[in-house]
Every structure is written in C-alpha cells, then in structure tokens.
Amino acid sequence: MTATKTEQTGARTDEAAALIGDARERIDALDDRIIGLIQERMAVSAVIQEARIGSGGRRVNLAREMEVLGHYRDALGKPGTALAMTMLELCRGRI
C-alpha cells in the first residue's frame, strides 16, 4: 500500500502536503549540490596536502584549520563549528 502525500509529509491538508513535497525536492537538489561541493573541496584539499607533504611539510596545517572553524562558526553559529569539523575530517588524509 502506497502512502498518500499527506501521510508522507505529515501535513494535514493537501495544499500543505504539496508545498512540503516541493520544498523537499528543492532540499534534495541542494543536498546534491552540497555533496558535490564537498567532494570538490576534498579533491582540492588532496592537492594541497600532496604539495605540503612533497615539500617536507606536515599533512595538516592546524592554524589554517582554526581559520576554517572560525569562519564557519562566525557564519553559522556553534553548529557551524561541528559542521566544519566534519568537513575537515572528510578532507584529511585522502592521499
């Protein structure tokens, strides 16, 4: 048995269900773009790490990571720090 749009969205009217359905489609598209951007960032981070290690440096630049954390925190508040930590973790050590 297939759930109705109202059941799928938790909405109480068909109009609200339609609005929620459309908004969820937009969120799914945004999520796909965000994932693509993170994957692109991972690739750029790998290039930086290779250059740094190839020149005798360390894999991670902690001062730069602190800048990134501050940028996300300033833009998104405390949850931005957690988001940045996750992103940095994804971008470390891929080489």
Side-chain angles (χ1 to χ4, degrees), residues 52-91:
R52 189 181 302 119
I53 292 168
S55 69
R58 298 178 57 167
R59 179 176 56 90
V60 176
N61 181 330
L62 295 178
R64 173 62 180 153
E65 287 196 358
M66 293 306 293
E67 288 176 19
V68 172
L69 291 170
H71 181 69
Y72 275 70
R73 182 190 64 245
D74 292 347
L76 302 172
K78 186 177 178 183
T81 303
L83 177 62
M85 286 295 296
T86 299
M87 184 196 56
L88 290 169
E89 183 179 344
L90 285 168
C91 293

Side-chain angles (χ1 to χ4, degrees), residues 31-50:
D31 285 344
D32 288 342
R33 288 173 46 199
I34 290 167
I35 290 167
L37 289 170
I38 290 171
Q39 289 170 332
E40 183 178 347
R41 190 188 194 288
M42 291 168 64
V44 173
S45 291
V47 170
I48 291 168
Q49 289 175 38
E50 286 176 15

Side-chain angles (χ1 to χ4, degrees), residues 19-33:
L19 178 77
I20 292 167
D22 291 345
R24 284 182 177 171
E25 285 180 19
R26 181 144 187 242
I27 284 173
D28 290 345
L30 289 167
D31 285 344
D32 288 342
R33 288 173 46 199

